[in-house]
Amino acid sequence: MVELAPTLNFRDVTVRPIRLRDAREVERLLLENRGWLERWEASLPAIPGPLVTQFSVRQAIRNLLANARQGLGMPYLVEYRGRVVGQLSVSGITGGSLNSASLGYWIVEEVAGHGIIPTAVALVTDYFFLTRGLHRMEICIRPENGPSLRVVQKLAFRYEGRRYRYIHIDGDWRDHECFALVAEEVPDGVLARWQHTVNTPAD
């Protein structure tokens, strides 16, 4: 099988391509973290309830991989110290004069707030900017989702405004705050900039 996405590492965090055989583990994590994740899960307007209960995780992974083979997305799992703790997907990859993509993620409650997702987002964004030549990466987050907002704040993604009733989430159309970076803003990479900020003493 051709590896559609590279494996990326920094310290205890690994971001690796998702595989069909990961379906059982991903489903277990989603079910165990239902109360933590449910209100942020995508839904369909015509069908009540979150998508994870409507379609099998196995089929969802098949769809992500098919999308990746068409060059439209890149799906990853996030591991911490060798254990799967979340998922990250790049979607809507568009070349040409737009040369942009969107990024989304989730993590289990047990390890949220430990810098794992910011590291994963930085690794993947750097790969797309520095290796794939992408120009712009966008992350859209519900204004009520404090933990996800802290990720883009840590990485200094630039706020671009609110998108009204943008995505169907948890049974209704929800507003999202839009954040983005372009490659010129981080010539040395997102991870390097964040680590420099973390390691620079405050005045």
Side-chain angles (χ1 to χ4, degrees):
M1 173 181 165
V2 176
E3 188 152 277
L4 299 171
T7 296
L8 308 168
N9 297 280
F10 181 73
R11 295 177 181 165
D12 291 330
V13 177
T14 298
V15 186
R16 67 161 175 85
I18 197 168
R19 301 177 292 250
L20 198 55
R21 63 177 177 267
D22 293 314
R24 182 173 295 180
E25 177 67 4
V26 172
E27 183 174 34
R28 182 186 69 79
L29 293 174
L30 289 171
L31 291 173
E32 287 181 358
N33 288 268
R34 167 65 56 220
W36 168 250
L37 297 171
E38 186 171 22
R39 64 182 298 208
W40 317 120
E41 288 176 353
S43 50
L44 292 176
I47 309 173
L51 286 179
V52 72
T53 63
Q54 298 160 22
F55 306 108
S56 74
V57 171
R58 191 174 181 83
Q59 185 58 51
I61 293 174
R62 280 198 188 99
N63 294 343
L64 288 170
L65 294 174
N67 208 38
R69 283 189 288 271
Q70 295 176 53
L72 302 175
M74 196 169 284
Y76 294 95
L77 285 184
V78 179
E79 295 181 348
Y80 180 62
R81 296 178 178 173
R83 183 166 63 96
V84 176
V85 294
Q87 188 176 342
L88 184 153
S89 293
V90 177
S91 61
I93 299 173
T94 305
S97 55
L98 183 58
N99 202 13
S100 178
S102 297
L103 189 152
Y105 47 82
W106 59 263
I107 190 167
V108 299
E109 185 175 14
E110 178 188 352
V111 295
H114 287 66
I116 298 165
I117 285 295
T119 301
V121 170
L123 283 168
V124 171
T125 302
D126 284 349
Y127 166 73
F128 271 87
F129 281 174
L130 303 174
T131 303
R132 293 281 295 268
L134 193 78
H135 180 247
R136 180 177 181 275
M137 184 68 81
E138 174 181 286
I139 299 176
C140 292
I141 302 168
R142 284 183 57 183
E144 306 89 350
N145 192 342
S148 281
L149 289 171
R150 283 191 286 278
V151 171
V152 291
Q153 290 162 0
K154 286 178 180 179
L155 298 179
F157 271 66
R158 176 175 26 79
Y159 178 62
E160 293 194 332
R162 180 167 293 196
R163 294 189 176 175
Y164 178 68
R165 295 177 65 79
Y166 179 53
I167 303 175
H168 206 270
I169 301 282
D170 191 27
D172 202 358
W173 294 104
R174 310 290 183 178
D175 295 354
H176 281 66
E177 306 285 7
C178 180
F179 300 83
L181 282 178
V182 295
E184 294 90 336
E185 294 175 277
V186 282
D188 297 320
V190 182
L191 185 62
R193 183 176 71 174
W194 178 42
Q195 290 301 303
H196 176 74
T197 302
V198 170
N199 295 322
T200 300
D203 293 335

